[in-house]
Amino acid sequence: MKMDLTDTTSSKINNALVQGRRAIGTPAVGMVLTLVIVTDEEHAYDALKAANEASREHPSRKLVVIKRVSRSPRDRAKARLDAEVRVGTSAGTGETVVLRLYGDVIDHAQSVVLPLLLPDAPVVAWWPVGSPTDPAKDPLGALAQRRVTDAYTAEDPIADLTARSAHYTPGDTDLAWTRTTPWRSMLAAALDQQPDAAITSAEVEGEPCNPTGELLAMWLADRLQIPVDQTPRDTPYAITSVRLRTKRGPIVIDRPDGALATLSMPGQPDRTVALKKRTTAELLAEELRHFARHEMCPATIRPRVQRAGTPPTSAAPTATASTTADQRRDSPPPAPGTRRTPRKRQQT
């Protein structure tokens, strides 16, 4: 069921939601969170499609905030709120409200969104594009317990993450870090099978200037205390290969096609493992699972980097899988722009 409201208010939108639920015969609310999507008209369709798919796992009320910029000064001075209310099958699992803000109401978007939040339920704010440098101090971000951005959509992803690292607040996270989850899990599993392997260095190959490859390289350097090289490769995938060099031989995870990877380890036959490139909906669904245990922001732990000290020298002992197993899983990497890997290559 879909209802269009022109020049409306938050109160009228709430009434439309109640009427819509009654009309389709589901008056009870079974949603677990409110997802606030802040985007523009160009990216609204893709963002809402991803949110609807993620809502199959996390039933939610989705509030899509679209700030419309009028062409003439006269229209920009007029405050107006248009809404599109969707319930039932057209809204995924839950409810959807598309809010289009005009004029002065753009500067007060939080006043429109606040009455529409589900009571006693967590709030997640997601910026598919154009995320603020300090999400926690953004008027809409201040309403949320978790704030999700995506540095990959920025014009300069590495600079975007670096700038955001100075304003990190617990609850901030980025989908560039979420994309590293299967790689980190597989690397940890591989090293668990080589507990005495002395890791001397590592290499990450992938798309140039992709923040996911940058974050994985810094995570390896911080967790294993080893130098890490980054090798640009002409590919559409963030990461295509990770190589850990040990005294017994290299541990390699190679994924050239974005679907299946080959895991090679010393003393064992090569094996094929699933390492599929995940969709935005799958990434968002993973982030919506993290309310039970707080996970620090992937790319912005500058104080942690300052406490970690200098990178290892040639006289320092090499890392082993047994001494670093507890540090590998779900651990935040250092802040972008902080170079703790002397062998890191400059990307172009």
Side-chain angles (χ1 to χ4, degrees):
M1 183 177 181
K2 177 179 174 182
M3 293 172 282
D4 292 324
L5 304 176
T6 304
D7 197 7
T8 186
T9 64
S10 298
S11 177
K12 293 179 181 178
I13 295 172
N14 267 321
N15 291 336
L17 287 170
V18 174
Q19 294 174 6
R21 289 196 299 267
R22 290 175 177 173
I24 63 176
T26 55
V29 179
M31 294 164 285
V32 298
L33 60 92
T34 302
L35 177 61
V36 181
I37 307 171
V38 187
T39 184
D40 53 23
E41 199 71 62
E42 178 183 358
H43 300 90
Y45 174 81
D46 291 335
L48 187 54
K49 181 180 178 181
N52 284 337
E53 293 179 8
S55 69
R56 298 173 184 173
E57 182 178 343
H58 310 277
S60 59
R61 172 176 290 180
K62 298 169 287 294
L63 305 178
V64 185
V65 180
I66 302 174
K67 300 178 181 180
R68 300 291 298 270
V69 179
S70 303
R71 296 182 178 180
S72 66
R74 180 179 299 176
D75 291 337
R76 287 195 294 268
K78 296 180 180 178
R80 193 176 93 234
L81 170 64
D82 294 343
E84 185 179 313
V85 179
R86 304 176 187 176
V87 294
T89 56
S90 61
T93 305
E95 302 169 341
T96 298
V97 180
V98 181
L99 303 168
R100 291 181 171 86
L101 283 59
Y102 299 82
D104 293 340
V105 73
I106 291 177
D107 299 326
H108 305 281
Q110 71 279 10
S111 300
V112 177
V113 171
L114 184 60
L116 301 176
L117 301 179
L118 289 173
D120 301 323
V123 180
V124 179
W126 175 36
W127 290 266
V129 294
S131 55
T133 302
D134 190 352
K137 290 187 178 180
D138 182 86
L140 290 173
L143 301 176
Q145 287 78 47
R146 195 161 183 84
R147 297 161 291 276
V148 183
T149 56
D150 192 355
Y152 182 73
T153 61
E155 185 174 350
D156 189 342
I158 306 304
D160 185 70
L161 284 176
T162 303
R164 204 176 301 143
S165 67
H167 304 281
Y168 170 75
T169 301
D172 295 350
T173 191
D174 196 281
L175 294 185
W177 173 249
T178 314
R179 294 183 181 95
T180 68
T181 300
W183 287 91
R184 290 183 289 120
S185 299
M186 190 166 296
L187 286 168
L191 291 178
D192 285 342
Q193 300 178 46
Q194 301 280 331
D196 299 325
I199 306 167
T200 58
S201 62
E203 181 182 10
V204 177
E205 292 185 3
E207 183 183 15
C209 298
N210 190 298
T212 300
E214 180 88 5
L215 291 175
L216 183 63
M218 288 189 290
W219 176 76
L220 286 170
D222 185 64
R223 296 296 89 201
L224 299 178
Q225 293 292 290
I226 57 173
V228 180
D229 294 336
Q230 269 190 272
T231 304
R233 188 170 176 178
D234 186 14
T235 175
Y237 305 111
I239 304 170
T240 57
S241 175
V242 176
R243 179 183 298 267
L244 302 179
R245 302 182 183 95
T246 71
K247 295 182 178 180
R248 295 181 178 179
I251 299 174
V252 182
I253 300 177
D254 185 40
R255 187 196 65 176
D257 60 356
L260 295 176
T262 301
L263 174 61
S264 304
M265 292 188 294
Q268 298 186 21
D270 294 351
R271 68 191 73 174
T272 301
V273 294
L275 195 60
K276 182 182 177 181
K277 180 181 178 181
R278 295 185 295 172
T279 64
T280 303
E282 292 170 324
L283 299 173
L284 182 61
E286 178 183 331
E287 286 302 327
L288 297 181
R289 301 185 197 118
H290 290 163
F291 284 103
R293 58 179 181 87
H294 175 68
E295 181 170 293
M296 298 182 74
C297 178
T300 56
I301 314 302
R302 188 180 300 274
R304 184 184 183 90
V305 181
Q306 295 172 348
R307 292 194 302 269
T310 58
T313 62
S314 57
T318 56
T320 63
S322 59
T323 59
T324 57
D326 293 337
Q327 298 177 329
R328 291 192 301 268
R329 302 179 189 272
D330 296 327
S331 301
T338 303
R339 294 301 181 214
R340 305 183 61 251
T341 57
R343 295 178 55 188
K344 192 171 181 65
R345 298 175 184 173
Q346 193 70 20
Q347 288 188 349
T348 58

